[in-house]
Amino acid sequence: MNIMLEDILKLLLAILLGGVIGIEREFRDKAAGFRTIIFICIGATLFTMFSIRLSDNGDPGRIAANIVTGVGFLGAGVLLRNEGRILGLTTAAIIWLTAAIGMGIGSGKYAIAITTSLLMLVILWVFPHFESLINKFREERIYEITFFGNPEKFQQIHDLFLRHHLIVRTNKHHKKGERLVYILDVDGSPKNHNLLTKELISDLEIESFTC
């Protein structure tokens, strides 16, 4: 298979678009950084080019489908579980989308590949400002509540959070000597958090709590 000028241009475009996206990831110090994103984009571009060239001997879609599967494993590698929550979903999604951009380059769909890359950068740079605005109306806190005695208190405390329109994302409890400890990861408005805090302070069965 002879290399053509268009093949070189495809690889250079993959390096350019992958590099621009990778710089953003590197700037934010994420797991998949500058070189990783470039390699993903080049790899998807090459596999797509090969699938088109080999289409006379097989199904070109088969290689493309395997790119999606392989990238899925890469994306899974950057996911982390922390206290019941999954971290790294945005990076995993970027890996997946970068591979799609590489497939677009490899198949000659330059306009859609470039447009998608620009839209991705807009989402990565502009949308966090909207998230910051939303976060002014919601706040995540981790409560650690210690009390004596009655195990039924766990359900009472849980119901208390629900009555204050707070979302309990995760919760766990354990015994510490004669005391019972309830730890909750809670999401809701600052106003509702403050109202709940006042009620926890007034509860004589609760020895102490932090949030």
Side-chain angles (χ1 to χ4, degrees), residues 3 9 25 37-38 41 45 50 55 64 82 86 88 96 102 105 136 152 154 156 183-185 187 195 201 207:
I3 189 168
L9 293 177
R25 293 286 86 190
I37 297 296
I38 290 177
C41 197
T45 299
F50 293 153
S55 60
N82 181 26
I86 302 298
W96 177 64
I105 296 171
K136 291 182 179 180
E152 294 181 0
F154 288 122
Q156 295 173 11
I183 302 174
L184 306 96
D185 185 352
D187 195 13
L195 290 173
I201 292 173
E207 182 187 56

Side-chain angles (χ1 to χ4, degrees), residues 23 27 58 69 84 96 136:
I23 288 173
F27 179 79
T69 303
W96 177 64
K136 291 182 179 180

Side-chain angles (χ1 to χ4, degrees), residues 4 37 57 68-69 79 109 113 130 132 166 184 187 204-205:
M4 297 184 292
I37 297 296
N57 300 322
V68 177
T69 303
L79 297 179
K109 307 297 182 182
F130 291 105
S132 298
L166 296 168
L184 306 96
D187 195 13
L204 298 178
E205 294 182 8

Side-chain angles (χ1 to χ4, degrees), residues 172-192:
K172 55 186 178 182
H173 49 75
H174 63 271
K175 189 174 182 180
K176 187 176 182 181
E178 296 299 322
R179 298 172 176 83
L180 299 176
V181 181
Y182 199 12
I183 302 174
L184 306 96
D185 185 352
V186 182
D187 195 13
S189 71
K191 177 182 177 181
N192 290 341

Side-chain angles (χ1 to χ4, degrees), residues 6 26 44 49 52 60 66 69 93 104 110 121 148-149 152 157 163 207-208:
E6 187 177 7
E26 195 74 39
M49 291 165 57
I52 293 172
N66 286 325
T69 303
Y110 308 120
L121 291 174
F148 285 101
E152 294 181 0
I157 293 173
R163 286 203 305 273
E207 182 187 56
S208 64

